[in-house]
Each structure stands twice: as C-alpha cells, then as structure tokens.
Amino acid sequence: MSGTLLSFCLMAVGARELSGEIHTSQVMLFRSALGLLVISFILLVTKNYSGFSSKRLGLHGLRNTFHFAGQYGWLLGITVLPLAEVFALEFTVPLWTAIIAWLFLGEAITMRKLAAIGLGLVGVLVCW
C-alpha cells in the first residue's frame, strides 16, 4: 500500500510538473507504453499466459476504454486543478463504486452503506 501511494503521489507531481511542456495525451502514451513493456517482460519471464484468455473480449475492451478515459481525466485534472482538490475528489471513488454497483450490478445497498456514502460525501465537501 505504501508503495502504491508513493507511486501515485510521484506520478501526480511528475504529471503536474510536466504539464507545461508535455500534453496529457503524450503522458498517457508514455504511461501506457511503459505499462505494456513491464507486463510483456513479466509474461516473458514467467511464461504464464493462462490469465490472458477471455470469452468476453468486447467487455474487456469496453472496460479498458472507461479506464483509459478515467486516467486521462485524472491526469487532465492534475494539470488544471489544485492537487488537494484532485486528491479530495479521488477519495470519492469508493463511494461512486458502491453507487454504480447498486445501479448496474444489483448489489444490495444497506442503511450502513448508505450512511457511509453520505458521510464520505460530507467529508469530501468539508475538505473541499
């Protein structure tokens, strides 16, 4: 968790510093290319390809489209908003995940979850 948090913070600061010189699309290109290289290297070393078969290739493509759009929005937000606001908005992701799971996956939303969502949104508004 610490390594993940450190990498997200470094990426946010790096993207913010480069925003005057490199367009968000270029940052996305470099980030995606580096990720592809790392994953390809891991696959070549381990020779374990079993996790790459799918019968729902279209859904994976749709998921990746939304993920790419989310990353683009996050990087764009870093360039135009204060970092504190970007991270305050980023902390709402679990709240939106619960709401979207309820809407699209039919997950039960209990009073406890509803209270957590409400308190989370109030917390973000206080920090904002």
Side-chain angles (χ1 to χ4, degrees):
M1 291 300 287
S2 297
T4 300
L5 183 61
L6 177 65
S7 70
F8 279 137
C9 289
L10 288 174
M11 187 169 53
V13 170
R16 178 71 171 242
E17 290 297 316
L18 290 173
S19 66
E21 299 174 28
I22 297 177
H23 193 269
T24 304
S25 301
Q26 290 173 312
V27 174
M28 288 294 298
L29 173 70
F30 294 133
R31 184 172 187 237
S32 297
L34 181 63
L36 183 62
L37 285 173
V38 169
I39 294 296
S40 298
F41 177 74
I42 291 170
L43 282 175
L44 288 172
V45 169
T46 63
K47 294 182 176 44
N48 182 6
Y49 308 108
S50 62
F52 284 90
S53 62
S54 175
K55 294 179 181 171
R56 299 180 177 186
L57 198 57
L59 285 176
H60 284 291
L62 182 65
R63 178 198 172 275
N64 284 328
T65 300
F66 278 105
H67 187 253
F68 191 83
Q71 286 180 351
Y72 187 87
W74 185 75
L75 286 169
L76 186 63
I78 285 173
T79 63
V80 297
L81 295 172
L83 283 178
E85 283 187 37
V86 172
F87 283 106
L89 289 172
E90 189 173 349
F91 286 133
T92 66
V93 169
L95 310 175
W96 297 115
T97 302
I99 293 169
I100 290 170
W102 170 65
L103 288 173
F104 294 105
L105 301 177
E107 185 171 319
I109 195 142
T110 62
M111 285 304 291
R112 189 174 182 173
K113 286 181 187 176
L114 200 56
I117 290 169
L119 287 172
L121 288 174
V122 169
V124 169
L125 291 175
V126 166
C127 291
W128 203 348

